[in-house]
Structures are given as structure tokens and as C-alpha cells.
Amino acid sequence: MDALRAFAGDQWSVEFDQAWRDAYGVIAQKMIAAADEDANNPPYWHAEVLYHERRSRDIAVITCRPMQPLEYRAGQYISVECKYQPRLWRVYSAANAPRKDGSIDFHVRALGAGFVSSALVWRVQPGDMIRLGAPMGAMTLDRRSTRDIVCVAGGTGLAPIKAIIEELTRANRTRWVHVFFGAKDRDDLYDLACLHRLAARYPWLSVVAACSDDPEFVGERGNIADIVGRYGPWREHDFFVSGSPGMVRSTLRTLAEMQVPSIRIKYGACSRTPR
Ligand SMILES: Cc1cc2nc3c(=O)[nH]c(=O)nc-3n(C[C@H](O)[C@H](O)[C@H](O)COP(=O)(O)OP(=O)(O)OC[C@H]3O[C@@H](n4cnc5c(N)ncnc54)[C@H](O)[C@@H]3O)c2cc1C
């Protein structure tokens, strides 16, 4: 309040003073109430790395187990910090639906000069402790919906989609689920074998893989947004879209052109810009 008063100078008035006091009061009440609601959770969770598997030149799948229960929903993301880059937190999507043993998978791509992603891919190993923050994000399954589902994933954007598919494997009997998994080249389709295994086991699941930059790839070639467009129409489906900001943008454009109502689309962009 002092800063506002000082910088507003002569323009400050009693009305402004009261309005700002009221606004701060509302914000503080909301924050205190939210903190009280969250009182049973720790500020962060310690987790042990159980497995670390390199799946391509720059992608690793990491499995960790929090020491205390960490509740989240398939499709959410979690802040991660490791000892090799202390106090630098980055968010990664949980790549599995919650398991009984509490373990969580992450699919991480190392960006050349990226601090945390390269530590997670190149340095972290089984036995290391990492810290996890509270889960966030609303790209979760609407369990009341009976619509068929289309999932569009680019690169490690597959992580939340895979968690959602896993959640569906536990209850789904009636909804067809079409997964489009796009990447630059074959090496980047780091989890395709697992998707094929799931599709072989669950008759409601189909998988289409595509490479945008691999002339020898046997399968769909081109931009994943265009390929989704070619397989349509999809007007009656629920959509999940996850990948780089560019991939998400072009997929949303394609869906708008196909007149998919935006209310049926949930999406998340793995923005890599520094915070
Ligand atoms: C909601 C959400 C979910 C996410 N989920 C995942 C996930 O599941 N898996 C995943 O791998 N990532 C995910 N990310 C991205 C992740 O949070 C980090 O942003 C990413 O790993 C980079 O962090 P860093 O510390 O390594 O890079 P930083 O040190 O933060 O540097 C990133 C910046 O450096 C630049 N940069 C560094 N190296 C390169 C390079 N080789 N090429 C181009 N630019 C470069 C980029 O401009 C970028 O802006 C998600 C992001 C969001 C917002």
C-alpha cells in the first residue's frame, strides 16, 4: 500500500486506498483458505528414482516413488527438482495413471542447454532422491462423458496422454479411443512399442504414428495436425492435445477448421520458455 501511495503521488485518493485494501483483503482470504485446505500436504515430496531408461538420443523415462503419498490425476503435471540443479524447478507430466505402489513415470527430453531436462536425462540415476511439487493442471478425463476420444500427442507430449489411456484401461468398455502420436523421426517415437502393445490388448484403442521428417518411416508421414485432419471428421469426439506450443497451435487450428466445438478439447503445451 505504501508503494502504491508513494508512486501515485497526488493522484492517490481515499477511495483508491479503500478499494486497494478491499482487493488485498479478498486475495489474502482466498490464499489463506487455499493454504488451510492444503494443510495435510507437505510443501514438497521427496521421491526416490527407481528406474532410469534412455529411450532415444535425448529422451529418458524415469520412474520414481514419493516417500509420502502424492495424489494426482492422470493428465496432470508435477514440478520436479533434482540435486544436480538445486532450486531449479520444472514441470513434467506424470506419464501413468496413479498406481497402488505410488510410483510415477516421467518422460523427459533433454534440451541441449536446458538445465533441468539435461540433468534428468544425463545425470540422474536409480537411487537418487528428487523433489516433487503439488500436481497441477486440468487436462483430465471427464468420467461422465460417453463420447469417443481422440488423443493427439507430439514427442514427450505423449506423457499425459499415456496416463489418460492407462486410466481408461481400468474402466473403459464403451468409448473408442484413437491416438495420434507424431514426432520428427523414428527415434523420437520413443514409446510406440508400448502403445502398440496396449492397442493389441484393448480392442477400443487404435494408434496412428507419424513422422514429419523421416522419409523412410513406414507409416504416416507429415505434420500430425494434418494427419488428424485426414482421418476425420471428429465432430462428436472429446479431444486431448499435448505437445510443443507449435504442434498444439496447429492441431487446434485443424480442429477449428473441422468445426470441433472448443468445449470438447482439452490441451496442454509443453512450453519450454524459461520462467
Ligand atoms: C505443462 C507443462 C508440461 C510439461 N511436460 C513435459 C514433459 O512431460 N516432458 C518434457 O520433456 N518436458 C515437459 N515440459 C517442459 C519442461 O517443463 C521444461 O520446460 C523443459 O524440460 C526445459 O527445462 P530446462 O530446465 O531443461 O531448460 P531451461 O534451462 O529452462 O532452458 C529452456 C530454454 O532454453 C532454450 N534451449 C535450451 N536448450 C535448447 C535446445 N537444445 N534447443 C532449443 N532451445 C533450447 C530454450 O529457448 C528454452 O526456452 C512441460 C512444460 C509444461 C509447461
Coordinates of all heavy atoms in Angstrom, one line a residue, residues 33-92:
A33 N -7.4 -19.4 2.8 CA -8.3 -20.6 2.7 C -7.7 -21.7 1.9 O -7.8 -22.9 2.3 CB -9.6 -20.1 2.1
A34 N -7.0 -21.4 0.8 CA -6.4 -22.4 0.0 C -5.3 -23.1 0.8 O -5.2 -24.3 0.7 CB -5.9 -21.8 -1.3
A35 N -4.5 -22.3 1.5 CA -3.4 -22.9 2.3 C -4.0 -23.8 3.4 O -3.5 -24.9 3.6 CB -2.6 -21.8 2.9
D36 N -5.1 -23.4 4.0 CA -5.7 -24.3 5.0 C -6.2 -25.6 4.4 O -6.0 -26.6 5.0 CB -6.9 -23.5 5.7 CG -6.4 -22.4 6.6 OD1 -5.2 -22.5 6.9 OD2 -7.2 -21.6 7.0
E37 N -6.9 -25.5 3.2 CA -7.4 -26.7 2.6 C -6.3 -27.7 2.3 O -6.4 -28.9 2.3 CB -8.0 -26.3 1.3 CG -9.5 -26.2 1.3 CD -10.0 -25.7 0.0 OE1 -9.6 -26.1 -1.1 OE2 -10.9 -24.8 0.0
D38 N -5.1 -27.1 2.0 CA -3.9 -27.9 1.6 C -3.1 -28.3 2.8 O -2.0 -28.9 2.6 CB -3.1 -27.1 0.6 CG -2.3 -28.0 -0.3 OD1 -2.7 -29.1 -0.7 OD2 -1.1 -27.6 -0.6
A39 N -3.6 -28.1 4.0 CA -2.7 -28.2 5.2 C -2.1 -29.6 5.4 O -1.1 -29.8 6.0 CB -3.5 -27.8 6.4
N40 N -2.8 -30.7 4.8 CA -2.4 -32.0 5.1 C -1.2 -32.4 4.1 O -0.6 -33.5 4.3 CB -3.5 -33.0 4.9 CG -4.5 -32.8 6.0 OD1 -4.1 -32.4 7.1 ND2 -5.8 -33.1 5.8
N41 N -1.0 -31.6 3.1 CA 0.1 -32.0 2.2 C 1.4 -31.3 2.6 O 1.4 -30.2 3.0 CB -0.3 -31.5 0.7 CG -1.3 -32.5 0.1 OD1 -1.2 -33.7 0.4 ND2 -2.1 -32.0 -0.7
P42 N 2.5 -32.0 2.3 CA 3.8 -31.3 2.6 C 4.0 -30.3 1.5 O 3.4 -30.3 0.4 CB 4.8 -32.4 2.5 CG 4.1 -33.4 1.6 CD 2.7 -33.3 1.8
P43 N 5.0 -29.3 1.7 CA 5.3 -28.3 0.7 C 5.9 -29.0 -0.6 O 5.7 -28.5 -1.7 CB 6.2 -27.4 1.3 CG 6.7 -28.1 2.6 CD 5.7 -29.1 2.9
Y44 N 6.6 -30.1 -0.4 CA 7.1 -30.9 -1.5 C 7.3 -32.3 -1.0 O 7.3 -32.6 0.2 CB 8.4 -30.3 -2.1 CG 9.4 -30.0 -1.1 CD1 10.2 -31.0 -0.5 CD2 9.6 -28.7 -0.7 CE1 11.1 -30.7 0.4 CE2 10.6 -28.4 0.3 CZ 11.3 -29.4 0.8 OH 12.3 -29.2 1.8
W45 N 7.4 -33.2 -2.0 CA 7.6 -34.6 -1.7 C 9.0 -35.1 -2.0 O 9.5 -34.7 -3.1 CB 6.6 -35.5 -2.5 CG 5.1 -35.4 -2.1 CD1 4.5 -36.4 -1.4 CD2 4.2 -34.4 -2.3 NE1 3.2 -36.1 -1.2 CE2 3.0 -34.8 -1.7 CE3 4.2 -33.1 -2.9 CZ2 1.8 -34.0 -1.7 CZ3 3.1 -32.3 -2.9 CH2 1.9 -32.8 -2.3
H46 N 9.6 -35.8 -1.2 CA 10.9 -36.5 -1.6 C 10.5 -37.8 -2.3 O 9.7 -38.5 -1.8 CB 11.7 -36.8 -0.3 CG 12.2 -35.6 0.4 ND1 13.3 -34.8 -0.1 CD2 11.8 -34.9 1.5 CE1 13.5 -33.8 0.7 NE2 12.6 -33.8 1.7
A47 N 11.2 -38.1 -3.4 CA 10.9 -39.3 -4.1 C 12.3 -39.9 -4.5 O 13.2 -39.2 -4.9 CB 10.1 -39.0 -5.3
E48 N 12.2 -41.3 -4.5 CA 13.5 -42.0 -4.9 C 13.3 -42.4 -6.4 O 12.3 -42.9 -6.8 CB 13.6 -43.2 -4.0 CG 14.9 -44.0 -4.3 CD 15.0 -45.3 -3.6 OE1 14.2 -45.6 -2.7 OE2 16.0 -46.1 -3.9
V49 N 14.4 -42.2 -7.1 CA 14.4 -42.7 -8.5 C 14.6 -44.2 -8.5 O 15.6 -44.7 -7.9 CB 15.5 -42.0 -9.3 CG1 15.6 -42.6 -10.7 CG2 15.2 -40.5 -9.4
L50 N 13.6 -44.9 -9.1 CA 13.7 -46.4 -9.1 C 14.3 -46.9 -10.4 O 15.1 -47.8 -10.4 CB 12.3 -47.0 -9.0 CG 11.5 -46.6 -7.7 CD1 10.1 -47.3 -7.8 CD2 12.2 -47.0 -6.5
Y51 N 13.9 -46.3 -11.5 CA 14.4 -46.7 -12.8 C 14.7 -45.5 -13.6 O 14.1 -44.5 -13.5 CB 13.4 -47.6 -13.6 CG 12.8 -48.7 -12.8 CD1 11.5 -48.7 -12.3 CD2 13.6 -49.9 -12.6 CE1 11.0 -49.7 -11.6 CE2 13.1 -50.9 -11.9 CZ 11.8 -50.8 -11.4 OH 11.3 -51.9 -10.7
H52 N 15.7 -45.7 -14.5 CA 16.0 -44.6 -15.5 C 16.4 -45.3 -16.8 O 17.4 -46.0 -16.8 CB 17.2 -43.8 -14.9 CG 17.6 -42.6 -15.7 ND1 18.2 -42.7 -16.9 CD2 17.3 -41.3 -15.5 CE1 18.3 -41.5 -17.4 NE2 17.8 -40.6 -16.6
E53 N 15.6 -45.0 -17.8 CA 15.8 -45.7 -19.0 C 15.9 -44.7 -20.2 O 15.0 -43.9 -20.4 CB 14.7 -46.7 -19.3 CG 14.9 -47.6 -20.5 CD 13.6 -48.4 -20.8 OE1 12.7 -48.4 -20.0 OE2 13.6 -48.9 -21.9
R54 N 17.1 -44.8 -20.9 CA 17.2 -43.9 -22.1 C 16.5 -44.6 -23.2 O 16.7 -45.7 -23.5 CB 18.7 -43.8 -22.4 CG 19.4 -42.8 -21.5 CD 19.3 -41.4 -22.0 NE 19.7 -41.2 -23.4 CZ 20.9 -41.3 -23.8 NH1 21.9 -41.4 -23.0 NH2 21.2 -41.2 -25.1
R55 N 15.6 -43.8 -23.8 CA 14.7 -44.4 -24.9 C 15.1 -43.9 -26.3 O 14.6 -44.4 -27.3 CB 13.3 -44.1 -24.6 CG 12.6 -44.8 -23.5 CD 12.2 -46.2 -23.9 NE 11.5 -46.9 -22.8 CZ 10.2 -46.8 -22.6 NH1 9.5 -46.1 -23.4 NH2 9.7 -47.4 -21.6
S56 N 15.8 -42.8 -26.4 CA 16.3 -42.3 -27.7 C 17.5 -41.4 -27.4 O 18.0 -41.4 -26.3 CB 15.2 -41.4 -28.3 OG 15.1 -40.2 -27.7
R57 N 18.0 -40.7 -28.4 CA 19.2 -39.9 -28.2 C 19.0 -39.0 -27.0 O 20.0 -38.7 -26.3 CB 19.7 -39.2 -29.4 CG 18.7 -38.9 -30.5 CD 19.1 -38.1 -31.6 NE 17.9 -37.4 -32.0 CZ 17.1 -37.8 -32.9 NH1 17.4 -38.9 -33.5 NH2 16.0 -37.1 -33.1
D58 N 17.8 -38.4 -26.9 CA 17.7 -37.4 -25.8 C 16.5 -37.5 -25.0 O 16.1 -36.6 -24.3 CB 17.8 -36.0 -26.5 CG 16.7 -35.8 -27.5 OD1 16.0 -36.7 -27.8 OD2 16.7 -34.7 -28.2
I59 N 15.9 -38.7 -25.0 CA 14.7 -38.9 -24.1 C 14.9 -40.0 -23.1 O 15.4 -41.0 -23.5 CB 13.4 -39.2 -25.0 CG1 13.1 -38.1 -25.9 CG2 12.2 -39.6 -24.1 CD1 12.0 -38.3 -26.9
A60 N 14.5 -39.7 -21.9 CA 14.6 -40.8 -20.8 C 13.2 -40.9 -20.2 O 12.5 -40.0 -20.1 CB 15.6 -40.4 -19.8
V61 N 12.9 -42.2 -19.8 CA 11.8 -42.5 -19.0 C 12.3 -42.7 -17.6 O 13.1 -43.6 -17.4 CB 11.0 -43.7 -19.5 CG1 9.8 -44.0 -18.6 CG2 10.4 -43.3 -20.9
I62 N 11.8 -41.9 -16.6 CA 12.2 -42.0 -15.2 C 11.1 -42.4 -14.4 O 10.0 -41.9 -14.4 CB 12.7 -40.6 -14.8 CG1 13.9 -40.2 -15.7 CG2 13.2 -40.6 -13.3 CD1 14.2 -38.7 -15.6
T63 N 11.3 -43.4 -13.5 CA 10.3 -43.9 -12.6 C 10.8 -43.5 -11.2 O 11.9 -43.9 -10.8 CB 10.0 -45.4 -12.7 OG1 9.7 -45.7 -14.0 CG2 8.8 -45.8 -11.8
C64 N 9.9 -42.9 -10.4 CA 10.3 -42.5 -9.0 C 9.1 -42.9 -8.1 O 8.0 -43.1 -8.5 CB 10.6 -41.1 -8.9 SG 9.2 -40.0 -9.2
R65 N 9.5 -43.0 -6.8 CA 8.4 -43.3 -5.8 C 8.5 -42.3 -4.7 O 9.5 -42.2 -4.0 CB 8.5 -44.7 -5.3 CG 7.3 -45.0 -4.3 CD 7.0 -46.4 -4.1 NE 8.2 -47.2 -3.8 CZ 8.6 -48.4 -4.2 NH1 7.8 -49.0 -5.1 NH2 9.7 -49.0 -3.9
P66 N 7.4 -41.4 -4.5 CA 7.5 -40.5 -3.4 C 7.4 -41.2 -2.1 O 6.8 -42.3 -1.9 CB 6.1 -39.7 -3.6 CG 5.7 -40.0 -5.0 CD 6.2 -41.3 -5.4
M67 N 8.1 -40.6 -1.1 CA 8.2 -41.2 0.3 C 6.8 -41.1 1.0 O 6.5 -41.9 1.9 CB 9.2 -40.5 1.1 CG 10.6 -40.5 0.6 SD 11.4 -42.1 0.9 CE 11.6 -42.7 -0.8
Q68 N 6.0 -40.1 0.6 CA 4.7 -39.9 1.2 C 3.7 -40.0 0.0 O 4.1 -39.6 -1.1 CB 4.5 -38.6 1.9 CG 5.2 -38.4 3.2 CD 5.2 -37.0 3.6 OE1 6.0 -36.2 3.3 NE2 4.1 -36.6 4.4
P69 N 2.4 -40.4 0.3 CA 1.5 -40.5 -0.8 C 1.3 -39.1 -1.5 O 1.2 -38.1 -0.9 CB 0.2 -40.9 -0.2 CG 0.6 -41.4 1.2 CD 1.9 -40.8 1.6
L70 N 1.4 -39.2 -2.9 CA 1.2 -37.9 -3.6 C 0.0 -38.2 -4.6 O 0.1 -39.0 -5.5 CB 2.4 -37.6 -4.5 CG 2.6 -36.2 -5.1 CD1 4.0 -36.0 -5.7 CD2 1.6 -36.0 -6.2
E71 N -1.1 -37.6 -4.3 CA -2.3 -37.8 -5.1 C -2.4 -36.9 -6.3 O -2.2 -35.7 -6.1 CB -3.6 -37.6 -4.2 CG -3.8 -38.8 -3.2 CD -5.0 -38.6 -2.3 OE1 -5.9 -37.8 -2.7 OE2 -5.0 -39.2 -1.3
Y72 N -2.6 -37.5 -7.4 CA -2.8 -36.7 -8.6 C -3.7 -37.4 -9.5 O -4.1 -38.6 -9.3 CB -1.4 -36.5 -9.3 CG -0.9 -37.8 -9.9 CD1 -1.1 -38.1 -11.3 CD2 -0.2 -38.7 -9.2 CE1 -0.6 -39.2 -11.8 CE2 0.3 -39.9 -9.7 CZ 0.1 -40.1 -11.0 OH 0.6 -41.3 -11.6
R73 N -4.1 -36.8 -10.6 CA -5.0 -37.4 -11.6 C -4.2 -37.6 -12.9 O -3.4 -36.7 -13.3 CB -6.3 -36.6 -11.8 CG -7.3 -36.8 -10.7 CD -8.7 -36.4 -11.2 NE -9.1 -37.3 -12.3 CZ -10.1 -37.0 -13.1 NH1 -10.8 -35.9 -12.9 NH2 -10.5 -37.8 -14.1
A74 N -4.6 -38.6 -13.7 CA -4.0 -38.8 -15.0 C -4.2 -37.6 -15.8 O -5.3 -37.0 -15.8 CB -4.6 -40.0 -15.7
G75 N -3.1 -37.1 -16.5 CA -3.2 -35.9 -17.3 C -2.6 -34.6 -16.6 O -2.3 -33.6 -17.2
Q76 N -2.3 -34.8 -15.3 CA -1.7 -33.6 -14.5 C -0.2 -33.6 -14.6 O 0.4 -34.6 -15.0 CB -2.1 -33.7 -13.1 CG -3.6 -33.3 -12.9 CD -3.9 -33.1 -11.4 OE1 -3.8 -33.9 -10.6 NE2 -4.4 -31.9 -11.2
Y77 N 0.4 -32.4 -14.3 CA 1.8 -32.3 -14.3 C 2.3 -31.9 -12.9 O 1.6 -31.4 -12.1 CB 2.3 -31.3 -15.4 CG 1.6 -30.0 -15.3 CD1 2.1 -28.9 -14.6 CD2 0.5 -29.7 -16.1 CE1 1.5 -27.7 -14.5 CE2 -0.1 -28.5 -16.1 CZ 0.4 -27.5 -15.3 OH -0.2 -26.3 -15.3
I78 N 3.6 -32.1 -12.7 CA 4.2 -32.0 -11.4 C 5.5 -31.3 -11.5 O 6.3 -31.6 -12.4 CB 4.4 -33.5 -10.8 CG1 3.0 -34.1 -10.6 CG2 5.2 -33.5 -9.6 CD1 3.1 -35.6 -10.2
S79 N 5.8 -30.4 -10.5 CA 7.1 -29.8 -10.5 C 8.2 -30.7 -10.0 O 7.9 -31.5 -9.1 CB 7.2 -28.6 -9.6 OG 6.3 -27.6 -10.0
V80 N 9.4 -30.7 -10.7 CA 10.4 -31.6 -10.3 C 11.7 -30.8 -10.1 O 12.0 -29.9 -10.8 CB 10.7 -32.6 -11.5 CG1 11.8 -33.6 -11.1 CG2 9.4 -33.4 -11.8
E81 N 12.5 -31.2 -9.0 CA 13.8 -30.7 -8.8 C 14.8 -31.8 -8.5 O 14.4 -32.8 -7.9 CB 13.7 -29.7 -7.6 CG 15.0 -29.0 -7.3 CD 15.4 -29.1 -5.8 OE1 15.3 -30.1 -5.2 OE2 15.9 -28.1 -5.3
C82 N 16.0 -31.7 -9.0 CA 17.0 -32.8 -8.7 C 18.3 -32.1 -8.1 O 18.5 -30.9 -8.3 CB 17.3 -33.6 -9.9 SG 18.2 -32.7 -11.2
K83 N 19.1 -33.0 -7.4 CA 20.2 -32.4 -6.7 C 21.3 -31.8 -7.6 O 22.1 -31.0 -7.2 CB 20.8 -33.5 -5.8 CG 21.4 -34.7 -6.6 CD 22.0 -35.7 -5.7 CE 22.6 -36.9 -6.5 NZ 23.1 -37.9 -5.6
Y84 N 21.2 -32.2 -8.9 CA 22.2 -31.7 -9.8 C 22.0 -30.2 -10.3 O 22.8 -29.6 -10.8 CB 22.3 -32.6 -11.1 CG 22.6 -34.0 -10.7 CD1 21.6 -35.0 -10.7 CD2 23.9 -34.4 -10.2 CE1 21.9 -36.3 -10.3 CE2 24.1 -35.7 -9.8 CZ 23.1 -36.7 -9.9 OH 23.4 -37.9 -9.4
Q85 N 20.7 -29.8 -10.1 CA 20.3 -28.4 -10.3 C 19.5 -27.9 -9.2 O 18.3 -27.7 -9.4 CB 19.6 -28.3 -11.7 CG 20.4 -28.6 -12.9 CD 21.5 -27.6 -13.2 OE1 21.6 -26.5 -12.5 NE2 22.4 -27.9 -14.1
P86 N 20.1 -27.8 -8.0 CA 19.3 -27.4 -6.8 C 18.5 -26.1 -7.0 O 19.0 -25.2 -7.6 CB 20.3 -27.3 -5.7 CG 21.6 -27.4 -6.3 CD 21.5 -27.9 -7.7
R87 N 17.3 -26.1 -6.5 CA 16.4 -25.0 -6.5 C 15.9 -24.5 -7.9 O 15.3 -23.5 -8.1 CB 17.0 -23.8 -5.8 CG 17.1 -24.0 -4.3 CD 17.7 -22.8 -3.6 NE 19.0 -22.5 -4.0 CZ 20.1 -23.1 -3.7 NH1 20.0 -24.2 -2.9 NH2 21.3 -22.8 -4.1
L88 N 16.1 -25.4 -8.9 CA 15.5 -25.1 -10.2 C 14.4 -26.1 -10.4 O 14.7 -27.3 -10.5 CB 16.6 -25.3 -11.4 CG 17.6 -24.2 -11.5 CD1 18.4 -24.5 -12.8 CD2 16.9 -22.8 -11.7
W89 N 13.2 -25.6 -10.5 CA 12.0 -26.5 -10.6 C 11.5 -26.4 -12.0 O 11.3 -25.3 -12.5 CB 10.9 -26.1 -9.6 CG 11.3 -26.3 -8.2 CD1 12.1 -25.5 -7.4 CD2 10.9 -27.4 -7.4 NE1 12.2 -26.0 -6.1 CE2 11.5 -27.2 -6.1 CE3 10.1 -28.5 -7.6 CZ2 11.3 -28.1 -5.0 CZ3 10.0 -29.4 -6.5 CH2 10.5 -29.2 -5.3
R90 N 11.2 -27.5 -12.6 CA 10.5 -27.5 -13.9 C 9.3 -28.5 -13.8 O 9.4 -29.5 -13.1 CB 11.4 -28.0 -15.0 CG 12.7 -27.2 -15.2 CD 12.4 -25.8 -15.9 NE 13.6 -25.1 -16.1 CZ 14.1 -24.2 -15.3 NH1 13.5 -23.9 -14.2 NH2 15.2 -23.5 -15.7
V91 N 8.3 -28.3 -14.7 CA 7.2 -29.2 -14.6 C 7.3 -30.3 -15.6 O 7.7 -30.0 -16.8 CB 5.8 -28.4 -14.7 CG1 5.6 -27.5 -13.5 CG2 5.7 -27.6 -16.0
Y92 N 6.8 -31.5 -15.3 CA 6.8 -32.6 -16.2 C 5.5 -33.4 -15.9 O 5.0 -33.5 -14.8 CB 8.0 -33.6 -16.0 CG 9.3 -32.8 -16.3 CD1 10.0 -32.2 -15.3 CD2 9.7 -32.7 -17.6 CE1 11.2 -31.5 -15.6 CE2 10.9 -32.0 -17.9 CZ 11.6 -31.4 -16.9 OH 12.7 -30.7 -17.3

